[in-house]
Short mmCIF file of all heavy atoms in Angstrom, two decimals:
data_model
loop_
_atom_site.label_atom_id
_atom_site.label_comp_id
_atom_site.label_asym_id
_atom_site.label_seq_id
_atom_site.Cartn_x
_atom_site.Cartn_y
_atom_site.Cartn_z
N MET A 68 -14.40 -0.99 -36.53
CA MET A 68 -13.16 -1.40 -35.93
C MET A 68 -12.40 -0.17 -35.46
O MET A 68 -12.62 0.93 -35.92
CB MET A 68 -12.31 -2.16 -36.95
CG MET A 68 -12.96 -3.42 -37.48
SD MET A 68 -11.81 -4.76 -37.45
CE MET A 68 -12.18 -5.59 -35.99
N THR A 69 -11.47 -0.41 -34.58
CA THR A 69 -10.67 0.70 -34.05
C THR A 69 -9.41 0.87 -34.88
O THR A 69 -8.83 -0.09 -35.38
CB THR A 69 -10.29 0.43 -32.59
OG1 THR A 69 -9.54 -0.77 -32.55
CG2 THR A 69 -11.51 0.31 -31.72
N ASP A 70 -9.01 2.08 -35.01
CA ASP A 70 -7.78 2.33 -35.77
C ASP A 70 -6.57 2.17 -34.86
O ASP A 70 -6.71 2.06 -33.63
CB ASP A 70 -7.81 3.72 -36.43
CG ASP A 70 -7.91 4.85 -35.42
OD1 ASP A 70 -7.46 4.66 -34.28
OD2 ASP A 70 -8.43 5.93 -35.78
N PRO A 71 -5.36 2.12 -35.39
CA PRO A 71 -4.15 1.90 -34.58
C PRO A 71 -3.94 2.96 -33.50
O PRO A 71 -3.42 2.66 -32.42
CB PRO A 71 -3.02 1.93 -35.59
CG PRO A 71 -3.64 1.62 -36.91
CD PRO A 71 -5.06 2.12 -36.82
N ASP A 72 -4.35 4.21 -33.75
CA ASP A 72 -4.19 5.25 -32.73
C ASP A 72 -5.04 4.95 -31.51
O ASP A 72 -4.59 5.13 -30.37
CB ASP A 72 -4.58 6.62 -33.30
CG ASP A 72 -3.56 7.13 -34.31
OD1 ASP A 72 -2.38 6.72 -34.22
OD2 ASP A 72 -3.96 7.94 -35.18
N GLN A 73 -6.24 4.49 -31.72
CA GLN A 73 -7.11 4.16 -30.59
C GLN A 73 -6.56 2.96 -29.82
O GLN A 73 -6.64 2.92 -28.59
CB GLN A 73 -8.53 3.88 -31.07
CG GLN A 73 -9.28 5.12 -31.50
CD GLN A 73 -10.68 4.80 -31.99
OE1 GLN A 73 -10.96 3.67 -32.38
NE2 GLN A 73 -11.54 5.80 -31.96
N LYS A 74 -6.01 1.99 -30.53
CA LYS A 74 -5.42 0.83 -29.86
C LYS A 74 -4.23 1.26 -29.01
O LYS A 74 -4.08 0.81 -27.87
CB LYS A 74 -4.99 -0.22 -30.87
CG LYS A 74 -6.13 -1.00 -31.47
CD LYS A 74 -5.64 -2.09 -32.39
CE LYS A 74 -6.81 -2.84 -32.98
NZ LYS A 74 -6.37 -3.90 -33.88
N ARG A 75 -3.38 2.14 -29.54
CA ARG A 75 -2.23 2.64 -28.78
C ARG A 75 -2.69 3.42 -27.56
O ARG A 75 -2.14 3.28 -26.47
CB ARG A 75 -1.36 3.52 -29.68
CG ARG A 75 -0.02 2.89 -29.98
CD ARG A 75 0.88 3.79 -30.78
NE ARG A 75 0.39 3.84 -32.17
CZ ARG A 75 0.12 4.96 -32.84
NH1 ARG A 75 0.35 6.13 -32.29
NH2 ARG A 75 -0.33 4.92 -34.06
N ASP A 76 -3.72 4.27 -27.75
CA ASP A 76 -4.25 5.04 -26.63
C ASP A 76 -4.82 4.12 -25.55
O ASP A 76 -4.62 4.34 -24.35
CB ASP A 76 -5.33 6.02 -27.11
CG ASP A 76 -4.76 7.17 -27.92
OD1 ASP A 76 -3.53 7.41 -27.82
OD2 ASP A 76 -5.56 7.82 -28.65
N LEU A 77 -5.51 3.08 -26.00
CA LEU A 77 -6.08 2.13 -25.06
C LEU A 77 -4.97 1.38 -24.30
O LEU A 77 -5.07 1.18 -23.08
CB LEU A 77 -6.99 1.14 -25.79
CG LEU A 77 -7.75 0.15 -24.92
CD1 LEU A 77 -8.65 0.88 -23.94
CD2 LEU A 77 -8.56 -0.79 -25.78
N GLU A 78 -3.93 0.98 -25.00
CA GLU A 78 -2.81 0.30 -24.34
C GLU A 78 -2.12 1.22 -23.34
O GLU A 78 -1.74 0.79 -22.25
CB GLU A 78 -1.82 -0.20 -25.39
CG GLU A 78 -2.33 -1.37 -26.20
CD GLU A 78 -1.41 -1.74 -27.35
OE1 GLU A 78 -0.39 -1.03 -27.57
OE2 GLU A 78 -1.72 -2.73 -28.04
N ARG A 79 -1.93 2.50 -23.70
CA ARG A 79 -1.32 3.46 -22.77
C ARG A 79 -2.21 3.67 -21.55
O ARG A 79 -1.72 3.76 -20.43
CB ARG A 79 -1.07 4.79 -23.47
CG ARG A 79 0.24 4.78 -24.25
CD ARG A 79 0.59 6.16 -24.72
NE ARG A 79 0.04 6.25 -26.08
CZ ARG A 79 -0.32 7.35 -26.71
NH1 ARG A 79 -0.21 8.51 -26.11
NH2 ARG A 79 -0.79 7.32 -27.93
N LEU A 80 -3.52 3.74 -21.79
CA LEU A 80 -4.45 3.90 -20.67
C LEU A 80 -4.39 2.69 -19.74
O LEU A 80 -4.37 2.85 -18.52
CB LEU A 80 -5.87 4.12 -21.19
CG LEU A 80 -6.96 4.25 -20.13
CD1 LEU A 80 -6.69 5.47 -19.25
CD2 LEU A 80 -8.33 4.34 -20.76
N GLU A 81 -4.37 1.50 -20.31
CA GLU A 81 -4.28 0.29 -19.48
C GLU A 81 -2.97 0.26 -18.70
O GLU A 81 -2.95 -0.14 -17.53
CB GLU A 81 -4.41 -0.95 -20.37
CG GLU A 81 -5.82 -1.16 -20.89
CD GLU A 81 -5.92 -2.32 -21.86
OE1 GLU A 81 -4.87 -2.87 -22.26
OE2 GLU A 81 -7.06 -2.68 -22.22
N ALA A 82 -1.89 0.69 -19.31
CA ALA A 82 -0.60 0.74 -18.61
C ALA A 82 -0.64 1.75 -17.47
O ALA A 82 -0.12 1.49 -16.37
CB ALA A 82 0.52 1.09 -19.59
N ARG A 83 -1.28 2.90 -17.69
CA ARG A 83 -1.40 3.90 -16.62
C ARG A 83 -2.27 3.38 -15.48
O ARG A 83 -1.98 3.61 -14.30
CB ARG A 83 -1.99 5.20 -17.17
CG ARG A 83 -0.99 5.98 -18.02
CD ARG A 83 -1.59 7.22 -18.62
NE ARG A 83 -2.20 8.07 -17.62
CZ ARG A 83 -3.11 9.01 -17.87
NH1 ARG A 83 -3.53 9.20 -19.11
NH2 ARG A 83 -3.60 9.74 -16.91
N ILE A 84 -3.35 2.67 -15.83
CA ILE A 84 -4.23 2.11 -14.79
C ILE A 84 -3.46 1.08 -13.98
O ILE A 84 -3.55 1.05 -12.74
CB ILE A 84 -5.50 1.51 -15.43
CG1 ILE A 84 -6.39 2.62 -15.96
CG2 ILE A 84 -6.25 0.64 -14.41
CD1 ILE A 84 -7.57 2.11 -16.77
N GLU A 85 -2.71 0.22 -14.65
CA GLU A 85 -1.93 -0.79 -13.95
C GLU A 85 -0.88 -0.14 -13.05
O GLU A 85 -0.66 -0.57 -11.91
CB GLU A 85 -1.27 -1.74 -14.95
CG GLU A 85 -0.59 -2.91 -14.31
CD GLU A 85 -1.55 -3.82 -13.57
OE1 GLU A 85 -2.71 -3.96 -13.98
OE2 GLU A 85 -1.12 -4.38 -12.53
N ALA A 86 -0.23 0.91 -13.52
CA ALA A 86 0.76 1.61 -12.71
C ALA A 86 0.11 2.25 -11.49
O ALA A 86 0.68 2.24 -10.39
CB ALA A 86 1.48 2.67 -13.55
N ALA A 87 -1.08 2.79 -11.67
CA ALA A 87 -1.80 3.39 -10.53
C ALA A 87 -2.19 2.32 -9.52
O ALA A 87 -2.12 2.54 -8.31
CB ALA A 87 -3.02 4.14 -11.03
N LYS A 88 -2.60 1.15 -9.99
CA LYS A 88 -2.95 0.06 -9.07
C LYS A 88 -1.73 -0.39 -8.26
O LYS A 88 -1.83 -0.63 -7.06
CB LYS A 88 -3.51 -1.14 -9.85
CG LYS A 88 -4.92 -0.95 -10.32
CD LYS A 88 -5.40 -2.20 -11.04
CE LYS A 88 -6.80 -2.04 -11.58
NZ LYS A 88 -7.24 -3.23 -12.32
N VAL A 89 -0.59 -0.48 -8.93
CA VAL A 89 0.64 -0.89 -8.23
C VAL A 89 1.03 0.16 -7.21
O VAL A 89 1.45 -0.16 -6.09
CB VAL A 89 1.78 -1.14 -9.25
CG1 VAL A 89 3.11 -1.30 -8.55
CG2 VAL A 89 1.46 -2.36 -10.10
N ALA A 90 0.90 1.43 -7.57
CA ALA A 90 1.26 2.52 -6.65
C ALA A 90 0.32 2.56 -5.45
O ALA A 90 0.73 2.91 -4.35
CB ALA A 90 1.25 3.85 -7.38
N GLN A 91 -0.94 2.19 -5.63
CA GLN A 91 -1.92 2.25 -4.55
C GLN A 91 -1.95 0.99 -3.70
O GLN A 91 -2.56 0.98 -2.64
CB GLN A 91 -3.33 2.48 -5.14
CG GLN A 91 -3.50 3.83 -5.78
CD GLN A 91 -3.47 4.95 -4.77
OE1 GLN A 91 -3.89 4.78 -3.63
NE2 GLN A 91 -2.96 6.09 -5.18
N SER A 92 -1.30 -0.09 -4.14
CA SER A 92 -1.34 -1.33 -3.38
C SER A 92 -0.61 -1.15 -2.06
O SER A 92 0.41 -0.46 -1.99
CB SER A 92 -0.72 -2.47 -4.19
OG SER A 92 0.66 -2.23 -4.37
N PRO A 93 -1.12 -1.78 -0.99
CA PRO A 93 -0.46 -1.62 0.32
C PRO A 93 0.90 -2.29 0.33
O PRO A 93 1.10 -3.36 -0.25
CB PRO A 93 -1.42 -2.30 1.28
CG PRO A 93 -2.22 -3.23 0.44
CD PRO A 93 -2.28 -2.63 -0.93
N LYS A 94 1.83 -1.65 0.99
CA LYS A 94 3.19 -2.19 1.10
C LYS A 94 3.21 -3.22 2.23
O LYS A 94 2.55 -3.06 3.25
CB LYS A 94 4.18 -1.07 1.43
CG LYS A 94 4.14 0.09 0.45
CD LYS A 94 4.70 -0.31 -0.89
CE LYS A 94 4.80 0.87 -1.82
NZ LYS A 94 3.82 0.88 -2.86
N PRO A 95 3.98 -4.30 2.06
CA PRO A 95 4.06 -5.28 3.15
C PRO A 95 4.77 -4.68 4.36
O PRO A 95 5.70 -3.90 4.22
CB PRO A 95 4.89 -6.42 2.53
CG PRO A 95 5.60 -5.81 1.38
CD PRO A 95 4.76 -4.66 0.91
N ARG A 96 4.27 -5.05 5.53
CA ARG A 96 4.86 -4.54 6.75
C ARG A 96 6.20 -5.20 7.00
O ARG A 96 6.40 -6.36 6.68
CB ARG A 96 3.93 -4.82 7.93
CG ARG A 96 2.66 -4.01 7.86
CD ARG A 96 1.72 -4.32 8.98
NE ARG A 96 2.42 -4.49 10.25
CZ ARG A 96 1.83 -4.86 11.35
NH1 ARG A 96 0.56 -5.09 11.36
NH2 ARG A 96 2.51 -5.01 12.46
N ALA A 97 7.10 -4.46 7.58
CA ALA A 97 8.44 -4.99 7.86
C ALA A 97 8.40 -6.04 8.96
O ALA A 97 9.16 -7.00 8.96
CB ALA A 97 9.38 -3.86 8.24
N ASP A 98 7.49 -5.88 9.93
CA ASP A 98 7.42 -6.81 11.05
C ASP A 98 6.38 -7.90 10.83
O ASP A 98 6.04 -8.61 11.76
CB ASP A 98 7.13 -6.06 12.34
CG ASP A 98 5.79 -5.35 12.31
OD1 ASP A 98 5.22 -5.19 11.22
OD2 ASP A 98 5.32 -4.96 13.38
N GLU A 99 5.89 -8.06 9.62
CA GLU A 99 4.85 -9.05 9.35
C GLU A 99 5.37 -10.47 9.60
O GLU A 99 4.63 -11.33 10.04
CB GLU A 99 4.38 -8.92 7.91
CG GLU A 99 3.17 -9.76 7.58
CD GLU A 99 2.62 -9.45 6.22
OE1 GLU A 99 2.75 -8.31 5.76
OE2 GLU A 99 2.07 -10.37 5.61
N HIS A 100 6.64 -10.70 9.35
CA HIS A 100 7.23 -12.02 9.54
C HIS A 100 7.16 -12.45 11.01
O HIS A 100 7.00 -13.62 11.31
CB HIS A 100 8.67 -12.01 9.05
CG HIS A 100 9.40 -13.29 9.31
ND1 HIS A 100 9.10 -14.46 8.65
CD2 HIS A 100 10.40 -13.59 10.16
CE1 HIS A 100 9.89 -15.42 9.09
NE2 HIS A 100 10.70 -14.91 10.01
N TYR A 101 7.27 -11.50 11.91
CA TYR A 101 7.31 -11.81 13.33
C TYR A 101 5.96 -11.68 14.01
O TYR A 101 5.87 -11.81 15.22
CB TYR A 101 8.31 -10.89 14.03
CG TYR A 101 9.71 -11.03 13.47
CD1 TYR A 101 10.26 -10.05 12.68
CD2 TYR A 101 10.46 -12.16 13.74
CE1 TYR A 101 11.53 -10.18 12.16
CE2 TYR A 101 11.74 -12.30 13.23
CZ TYR A 101 12.26 -11.31 12.44
OH TYR A 101 13.51 -11.44 11.93
N SER A 102 4.90 -11.42 13.27
CA SER A 102 3.61 -11.15 13.91
C SER A 102 3.09 -12.36 14.68
O SER A 102 2.51 -12.20 15.75
CB SER A 102 2.59 -10.69 12.88
OG SER A 102 2.33 -11.72 11.95
N MET A 103 3.26 -13.57 14.17
CA MET A 103 2.79 -14.74 14.90
C MET A 103 3.64 -14.99 16.15
O MET A 103 3.11 -15.40 17.17
CB MET A 103 2.81 -15.97 13.98
CG MET A 103 1.81 -15.87 12.83
SD MET A 103 0.12 -15.58 13.35
CE MET A 103 -0.30 -17.17 13.99
N ALA A 104 4.92 -14.74 16.07
CA ALA A 104 5.78 -14.90 17.24
C ALA A 104 5.40 -13.87 18.30
O ALA A 104 5.36 -14.18 19.50
CB ALA A 104 7.24 -14.75 16.86
N ASN A 105 5.10 -12.65 17.88
CA ASN A 105 4.68 -11.63 18.84
C ASN A 105 3.37 -12.03 19.51
O ASN A 105 3.20 -11.83 20.72
CB ASN A 105 4.50 -10.28 18.13
CG ASN A 105 5.81 -9.65 17.75
OD1 ASN A 105 6.85 -10.01 18.28
ND2 ASN A 105 5.76 -8.73 16.81
N GLN A 106 2.46 -12.58 18.76
CA GLN A 106 1.18 -13.01 19.33
C GLN A 106 1.40 -14.15 20.32
O GLN A 106 0.78 -14.18 21.39
CB GLN A 106 0.24 -13.44 18.21
CG GLN A 106 -1.15 -13.75 18.69
CD GLN A 106 -2.09 -14.08 17.55
OE1 GLN A 106 -1.68 -14.15 16.39
NE2 GLN A 106 -3.33 -14.28 17.86
N ALA A 107 2.29 -15.08 20.01
CA ALA A 107 2.56 -16.19 20.92
C ALA A 107 3.19 -15.69 22.22
O ALA A 107 2.79 -16.13 23.31
CB ALA A 107 3.48 -17.20 20.23
N TRP A 108 4.16 -14.78 22.12
CA TRP A 108 4.77 -14.24 23.33
C TRP A 108 3.76 -13.48 24.17
O TRP A 108 3.78 -13.53 25.40
CB TRP A 108 5.95 -13.34 22.99
CG TRP A 108 7.21 -14.12 22.81
CD1 TRP A 108 7.89 -14.31 21.66
CD2 TRP A 108 7.92 -14.83 23.83
NE1 TRP A 108 8.99 -15.10 21.90
CE2 TRP A 108 9.03 -15.43 23.22
CE3 TRP A 108 7.72 -15.02 25.19
CZ2 TRP A 108 9.94 -16.22 23.92
CZ3 TRP A 108 8.63 -15.79 25.89
CH2 TRP A 108 9.72 -16.38 25.25
N ARG A 109 2.86 -12.76 23.51
CA ARG A 109 1.84 -12.02 24.26
C ARG A 109 0.95 -12.99 25.03
O ARG A 109 0.59 -12.73 26.18
CB ARG A 109 1.02 -11.17 23.30
CG ARG A 109 -0.03 -10.36 24.01
CD ARG A 109 -0.78 -9.47 23.06
NE ARG A 109 -1.84 -8.80 23.76
CZ ARG A 109 -2.72 -8.01 23.20
NH1 ARG A 109 -2.64 -7.77 21.91
NH2 ARG A 109 -3.66 -7.44 23.90
N MET A 110 0.59 -14.11 24.39
CA MET A 110 -0.25 -15.09 25.07
C MET A 110 0.48 -15.68 26.28
O MET A 110 -0.11 -15.85 27.35
CB MET A 110 -0.65 -16.21 24.10
CG MET A 110 -1.67 -15.75 23.08
SD MET A 110 -2.11 -16.91 21.75
CE MET A 110 -1.61 -18.46 22.31
N VAL A 111 1.76 -15.99 26.13
CA VAL A 111 2.54 -16.55 27.25
C VAL A 111 2.63 -15.54 28.39
O VAL A 111 2.43 -15.89 29.56
CB VAL A 111 3.94 -16.97 26.75
CG1 VAL A 111 4.86 -17.28 27.91
CG2 VAL A 111 3.84 -18.15 25.81
N ILE A 112 2.93 -14.30 28.06
CA ILE A 112 3.07 -13.27 29.10
C ILE A 112 1.75 -13.05 29.83
O ILE A 112 1.72 -12.94 31.07
CB ILE A 112 3.60 -11.96 28.47
CG1 ILE A 112 5.06 -12.15 28.06
CG2 ILE A 112 3.46 -10.79 29.43
CD1 ILE A 112 5.62 -11.03 27.22
N GLU A 113 0.64 -13.02 29.08
CA GLU A 113 -0.66 -12.83 29.73
C GLU A 113 -1.02 -14.02 30.61
O GLU A 113 -1.59 -13.85 31.69
CB GLU A 113 -1.74 -12.58 28.68
CG GLU A 113 -1.64 -11.22 28.05
CD GLU A 113 -2.71 -10.96 27.01
OE1 GLU A 113 -3.58 -11.83 26.79
OE2 GLU A 113 -2.69 -9.86 26.42
N LEU A 114 -0.68 -15.23 30.19
CA LEU A 114 -0.96 -16.40 31.00
C LEU A 114 -0.15 -16.37 32.30
O LEU A 114 -0.71 -16.58 33.39
CB LEU A 114 -0.62 -17.67 30.21
CG LEU A 114 -0.83 -18.99 30.93
CD1 LEU A 114 -2.31 -19.21 31.20
CD2 LEU A 114 -0.27 -20.13 30.11
N VAL A 115 1.13 -16.08 32.20
CA VAL A 115 1.99 -16.04 33.40
C VAL A 115 1.56 -14.89 34.32
O VAL A 115 1.49 -15.06 35.54
CB VAL A 115 3.47 -15.91 32.99
CG1 VAL A 115 4.35 -15.62 34.19
CG2 VAL A 115 3.92 -17.17 32.28
N ALA A 116 1.24 -13.73 33.74
CA ALA A 116 0.80 -12.60 34.56
C ALA A 116 -0.52 -12.92 35.25
O ALA A 116 -0.70 -12.60 36.44
CB ALA A 116 0.66 -11.35 33.70
N GLY A 117 -1.43 -13.57 34.55
CA GLY A 117 -2.70 -13.95 35.17
C GLY A 117 -2.51 -14.92 36.32
O GLY A 117 -3.17 -14.80 37.37
N LEU A 118 -1.64 -15.90 36.12
CA LEU A 118 -1.37 -16.84 37.21
C LEU A 118 -0.73 -16.14 38.40
O LEU A 118 -1.08 -16.41 39.56
CB LEU A 118 -0.44 -17.95 36.72
CG LEU A 118 -1.07 -18.98 35.79
CD1 LEU A 118 -0.02 -19.90 35.20
CD2 LEU A 118 -2.11 -19.79 36.55
N GLY A 119 0.20 -15.24 38.14
CA GLY A 119 0.86 -14.51 39.23
C GLY A 119 -0.11 -13.62 39.99
O GLY A 119 -0.11 -13.59 41.23
N ILE A 120 -0.96 -12.92 39.28
CA ILE A 120 -1.95 -12.05 39.93
C ILE A 120 -2.95 -12.88 40.72
O ILE A 120 -3.30 -12.55 41.86
CB ILE A 120 -2.64 -11.15 38.89
CG1 ILE A 120 -1.64 -10.13 38.34
CG2 ILE A 120 -3.85 -10.45 39.49
CD1 ILE A 120 -2.15 -9.36 37.15
N GLY A 121 -3.39 -13.99 40.13
CA GLY A 121 -4.34 -14.87 40.84
C GLY A 121 -3.73 -15.46 42.10
O GLY A 121 -4.38 -15.54 43.14
N PHE A 122 -2.46 -15.87 42.02
CA PHE A 122 -1.78 -16.39 43.19
C PHE A 122 -1.66 -15.32 44.27
O PHE A 122 -1.90 -15.58 45.45
CB PHE A 122 -0.39 -16.92 42.82
CG PHE A 122 0.42 -17.34 44.00
CD1 PHE A 122 0.19 -18.56 44.60
CD2 PHE A 122 1.41 -16.52 44.52
CE1 PHE A 122 0.93 -18.96 45.70
CE2 PHE A 122 2.15 -16.91 45.62
CZ PHE A 122 1.91 -18.13 46.21
N GLY A 123 -1.29 -14.11 43.84
CA GLY A 123 -1.14 -13.02 44.81
C GLY A 123 -2.45 -12.68 45.50
O GLY A 123 -2.49 -12.50 46.72
N ILE A 124 -3.53 -12.60 44.75
CA ILE A 124 -4.84 -12.29 45.36
C ILE A 124 -5.27 -13.42 46.28
O ILE A 124 -5.74 -13.19 47.40
CB ILE A 124 -5.89 -12.03 44.25
CG1 ILE A 124 -5.58 -10.72 43.52
CG2 ILE A 124 -7.30 -12.02 44.84
CD1 ILE A 124 -6.46 -10.47 42.31
N GLY A 125 -5.10 -14.68 45.82
CA GLY A 125 -5.49 -15.82 46.66
C GLY A 125 -4.68 -15.90 47.94
O GLY A 125 -5.23 -16.12 49.03
N PHE A 126 -3.38 -15.71 47.85
CA PHE A 126 -2.53 -15.75 49.04
C PHE A 126 -2.87 -14.61 49.98
O PHE A 126 -2.91 -14.79 51.21
CB PHE A 126 -1.05 -15.69 48.63
CG PHE A 126 -0.11 -15.88 49.77
CD1 PHE A 126 0.14 -17.14 50.28
CD2 PHE A 126 0.54 -14.79 50.34
CE1 PHE A 126 1.01 -17.31 51.33
CE2 PHE A 126 1.41 -14.95 51.40
CZ PHE A 126 1.65 -16.22 51.90
N GLY A 127 -3.14 -13.43 49.41
CA GLY A 127 -3.51 -12.29 50.24
C GLY A 127 -4.82 -12.51 50.97
O GLY A 127 -4.94 -12.20 52.17
N LEU A 128 -5.81 -13.05 50.28
CA LEU A 128 -7.09 -13.33 50.95
C LEU A 128 -6.95 -14.43 51.99
O LEU A 128 -7.57 -14.37 53.06
CB LEU A 128 -8.15 -13.71 49.90
CG LEU A 128 -8.63 -12.59 48.99
CD1 LEU A 128 -9.56 -13.13 47.91
CD2 LEU A 128 -9.33 -11.51 49.80
N ASP A 129 -6.14 -15.47 51.70
CA ASP A 129 -5.91 -16.52 52.69
C ASP A 129 -5.25 -15.95 53.94
O ASP A 129 -5.61 -16.30 55.07
CB ASP A 129 -5.03 -17.63 52.11
CG ASP A 129 -5.81 -18.60 51.24
OD1 ASP A 129 -7.05 -18.62 51.33
OD2 ASP A 129 -5.17 -19.31 50.44
N SER A 130 -4.28 -15.07 53.73
CA SER A 130 -3.62 -14.46 54.89
C SER A 130 -4.58 -13.57 55.66
O SER A 130 -4.57 -13.54 56.89
CB SER A 130 -2.43 -13.62 54.43
OG SER A 130 -1.45 -14.45 53.84
N LEU A 131 -5.42 -12.82 54.94
CA LEU A 131 -6.36 -11.91 55.59
C LEU A 131 -7.39 -12.64 56.42
O LEU A 131 -7.72 -12.25 57.55
CB LEU A 131 -7.06 -11.06 54.52
CG LEU A 131 -8.05 -10.02 55.00
CD1 LEU A 131 -7.33 -8.93 55.78
CD2 LEU A 131 -8.81 -9.44 53.83
N PHE A 132 -7.91 -13.76 55.90
CA PHE A 132 -8.96 -14.50 56.59
C PHE A 132 -8.43 -15.64 57.42
O PHE A 132 -9.20 -16.34 58.08
CB PHE A 132 -9.99 -15.03 55.60
CG PHE A 132 -10.75 -13.96 54.88
CD1 PHE A 132 -10.73 -13.86 53.50
CD2 PHE A 132 -11.50 -13.01 55.59
CE1 PHE A 132 -11.44 -12.86 52.85
CE2 PHE A 132 -12.20 -12.01 54.94
CZ PHE A 132 -12.16 -11.93 53.57
N GLY A 133 -7.12 -15.87 57.40
CA GLY A 133 -6.53 -16.93 58.22
C GLY A 133 -6.89 -18.32 57.73
O GLY A 133 -7.07 -19.23 58.53
N THR A 134 -7.00 -18.50 56.45
CA THR A 134 -7.38 -19.79 55.91
C THR A 134 -6.23 -20.46 55.14
O THR A 134 -6.45 -21.18 54.19
CB THR A 134 -8.59 -19.64 54.96
OG1 THR A 134 -8.25 -18.73 53.92
CG2 THR A 134 -9.81 -19.17 55.71
N ILE A 135 -5.00 -20.22 55.61
CA ILE A 135 -3.86 -20.81 54.93
C ILE A 135 -3.91 -22.32 55.15
O ILE A 135 -4.02 -22.79 56.28
CB ILE A 135 -2.55 -20.20 55.43
CG1 ILE A 135 -2.51 -18.72 55.10
CG2 ILE A 135 -1.33 -20.94 54.86
CD1 ILE A 135 -1.29 -18.00 55.61
N PRO A 136 -3.81 -23.12 54.08
CA PRO A 136 -3.92 -24.59 54.23
C PRO A 136 -2.72 -25.17 54.96
O PRO A 136 -1.65 -24.71 54.94
CB PRO A 136 -4.00 -25.11 52.81
CG PRO A 136 -3.61 -24.01 51.91
CD PRO A 136 -3.69 -22.74 52.68
#
């Protein structure tokens, strides 16, 4: 069996290990709450930009080739 000194040493070691785990754990990001909103806005902006660019290229080619409906 282990004597009380070994039990105390083991408890102190476990406490130090736990403290090291807490210190090494990643901190939550400050902007994590808004990450889904940022992703949604990015999708909307890319969709609108794609439509605008596609319209511009299509209108430009129609004007160039004289195929305006």
Side-chain angles (χ1 to χ4, degrees):
M68 299 227 97
T69 60
D70 62 27
D72 289 335
Q73 287 179 339
K74 285 184 181 180
R75 249 184 286 127
D76 289 342
L77 185 60
E78 288 172 357
R79 276 190 267 155
L80 178 62
E81 288 175 352
R83 286 177 54 200
I84 290 172
E85 187 63 33
K88 284 182 182 178
V89 169
Q91 293 292 328
S92 66
K94 305 290 186 253
R96 292 178 40 185
D98 62 345
E99 188 172 330
H100 175 69
Y101 301 107
S102 64
M103 294 304 286
N105 287 341
Q106 186 176 4
W108 275 111
R109 181 176 175 183
M110 288 174 18
V111 168
I112 290 170
E113 287 180 2
L114 179 67
V115 170
L118 287 171
I120 292 170
F122 174 78
I124 291 173
F126 187 77
L128 289 174
D129 280 342
S130 295
L131 182 66
F132 295 121
T134 58
I135 296 177

